[in-house]
Amino acid sequence: MSWGTELWDQYDTIAHHTQRGIEFNEKFTHFLKERCTIELDYARSLKKLVRNFQPRKKEEDEYQFTWAKGFIDMVNELHDVASQHEVVAENLQGNVMKDMQNLIAELKQERKRLLNEGQKIQEQLNKSYQHLDRAKNRYEKGFKEAEKTMENYRKADADINLSRAEVEKTRMLMNTKAQLCEECKNEYAAQLLTTNQHQSNFYTNLMPEVFQQLQQMDEKRINRLKDFIHQCAEVEANVIPIINTCIDGMKKAANNIDANNDSRLVIDRNKSGFPKPDDIPFEDLSLGQSIENSNNVTPKNTLDHKNTSKLATLSGKSKKRTGLFGLFGSSKTDDQKEDFSDLPPNQRRRKLTQKIDSIKKEMAKESAEREGMLKMKDVYCNNPALGDPTTLDKKVEENAQKIDGLRQELQKFEGYLNDAENNSSRGRDKRNSTSDDSISMTASESSVIQRQDNSLPGTPQTQHNVTNVPVDGDVDDDEDEFNYPVIGTCRALYRFEAVNEGSVPMDENEEMFIIEQDQGDGWTRIRKDDNIEGFVPTSYLQCHLYEVDQV
């Protein structure tokens, strides 16, 4: 089916139809634009909803429960779903809408060109029609004049009153008009032939070709519109797997909710560790005993760990009611003691463990930063063009002081934890009425505590190994038997004054030998050129150890 053959006389209709098709494409573009706006607004609203329901700092403890984690996981998955709506809008804007706008501009330009070409062809045919009309009019005029002169000649020839000259004149005029009429006839015939040729070419070749191009243009528009609708569907289909993954994540978050686990967590977080109070004994007043002097009036185990106020709560004598054993009372963080001794035993151990883990993470971070600065300083020393190594001295010194401070704090809180463990162990042993041997600490625990006590700042360990090694000031005839082999060299980064027994002073940039590595207490055993041995802070040294097989 061709527009050129079937719609040869519908030029205006075709022009209107193609214009309506382009307008429909523009309408589709407006639809995509509004669709993208809706998608972006929806995604923005979802993300705002997600932000509003993110856990706040004061709610962090609550989000340790599985039901709270499940909720926040679902909310986070919803954020990913919102991102996919943004992806849909971006793809529609960046691909479909852009291509559609380019197509509309191209269609308008092509339609305008074809319609202008069709108008030119129409004007040429109209000109041919005008030439034909003029030739026909001249022929009709000449024919009428020829007939009139012929009629006049006949009348003159029949009139006996006219002279022969006048009749001849009339005859000559008749012949002239007849000749002019014949010329007009021939001209009309020729123009008619030309016009028929133009008309035939117009309706069989020229305009059908224009109509065919307009048909191809419109079919191209329709096919491209079909492709654009497919692209819209593909944009949606591409995000569906991701959205399904988010939905699976929501289902997984729901499946991870465990009521039993949450119940255990409530116990772990709120268990005080206090023993249950013993039975209150009967007070026989007839025996002359007073309440104040009677034995076991109140359970003595409830007086441990500053529970006097809690006991008063049970007896109703306390003016400030804090709840059963203070378990549900709210204590301000600002009033909380550093060693958490005001907390129940279980809660105290949990808080101390969290604090120790936090300090260890900070120490690892500072140690990594120190290693990086030392490596950078070595690079600057080897290649001064890259930078001045002295600019890092202050930072390295500050880092060393910070590490020492963290190490002291770690040792302090480890001591608090050991104290809490020992108190808890003694309390259990006392309740169980076990023998004195059962409450003694194991050898490994004693060594840990002894090591922590000896690792306090300013007090280096006098022995890292089992063998006793005399320190400065001790007199030992067999000192040579305990000499340690050299395992590396070191250079002092800062000046150090020895103020404790077992430590030795050193000057900045002083070269020494390492005879024993840091055992975790922050001190390294070194030997100077004059064979003086002792401990110096590890953070003040830049160490270079030999290969392990050479030690």
Side-chain angles (χ1 to χ4, degrees), residues 7 41 61 315 491 526:
L7 303 176
D41 290 342
D61 292 341
S315 61
R491 179 171 64 87
I526 56 94

Side-chain angles (χ1 to χ4, degrees), residues 154-207:
R154 290 176 181 173
K155 290 180 180 180
D157 187 38
D159 191 357
I160 59 176
N161 295 322
L162 294 178
S163 63
R164 198 167 181 84
E166 290 177 349
V167 174
E168 186 63 24
K169 181 180 179 181
T170 304
R171 187 182 67 79
M172 291 178 61
L173 181 60
M174 179 194 66
N175 292 334
T176 302
K177 292 298 181 177
Q179 186 177 359
L180 291 175
C181 179
E182 188 66 25
E183 291 177 358
C184 290
K185 180 180 179 181
N186 294 333
E187 182 182 357
Y188 168 67
Q191 184 60 43
L192 179 61
L193 180 61
T194 302
T195 302
N196 287 333
Q197 291 177 351
H198 288 171
Q199 180 176 276
S200 176
N201 192 29
F202 176 85
Y203 287 113
T204 56
N205 295 323
L206 298 179
M207 284 306 294

Side-chain angles (χ1 to χ4, degrees), residues 101-222:
Q101 291 172 351
N102 294 335
L103 175 64
I104 291 173
E106 180 182 348
L107 292 175
K108 287 183 176 180
Q109 185 176 0
E110 185 176 1
R111 177 180 178 276
K112 182 178 179 180
R113 180 183 63 82
L114 293 174
L115 292 181
N116 289 337
E117 184 177 350
Q119 289 178 355
K120 290 180 181 180
I121 299 173
Q122 186 71 38
E123 290 176 357
Q124 292 177 357
L125 181 61
N126 291 335
K127 288 181 180 180
S128 181
Y129 285 150
Q130 292 175 1
H131 291 315
L132 179 61
D133 290 339
R134 286 195 295 268
K136 183 178 180 181
N137 292 334
R138 286 195 299 269
Y139 171 62
E140 290 177 351
K141 182 180 178 181
F143 179 77
K144 291 179 180 179
E145 289 179 351
E147 284 187 342
K148 185 177 181 180
T149 54
M150 183 179 293
E151 184 68 24
N152 292 335
Y153 171 71
R154 290 176 181 173
K155 290 180 180 180
D157 187 38
D159 191 357
I160 59 176
N161 295 322
L162 294 178
S163 63
R164 198 167 181 84
E166 290 177 349
V167 174
E168 186 63 24
K169 181 180 179 181
T170 304
R171 187 182 67 79
M172 291 178 61
L173 181 60
M174 179 194 66
N175 292 334
T176 302
K177 292 298 181 177
Q179 186 177 359
L180 291 175
C181 179
E182 188 66 25
E183 291 177 358
C184 290
K185 180 180 179 181
N186 294 333
E187 182 182 357
Y188 168 67
Q191 184 60 43
L192 179 61
L193 180 61
T194 302
T195 302
N196 287 333
Q197 291 177 351
H198 288 171
Q199 180 176 276
S200 176
N201 192 29
F202 176 85
Y203 287 113
T204 56
N205 295 323
L206 298 179
M207 284 306 294
E209 183 178 355
V210 173
F211 287 166
Q212 187 65 29
Q213 292 180 7
L214 288 171
Q215 181 181 356
Q216 293 175 357
M217 181 198 73
D218 193 63
E219 290 177 353
K220 174 183 177 182
R221 177 190 65 82
I222 296 172

Side-chain angles (χ1 to χ4, degrees), residues 470-485:
V471 297
D472 271 356
D474 292 345
V475 179
D476 193 345
D477 296 335
D478 298 331
E479 183 178 1
D480 293 337
E481 296 180 4
F482 299 100
N483 285 338
Y484 291 94

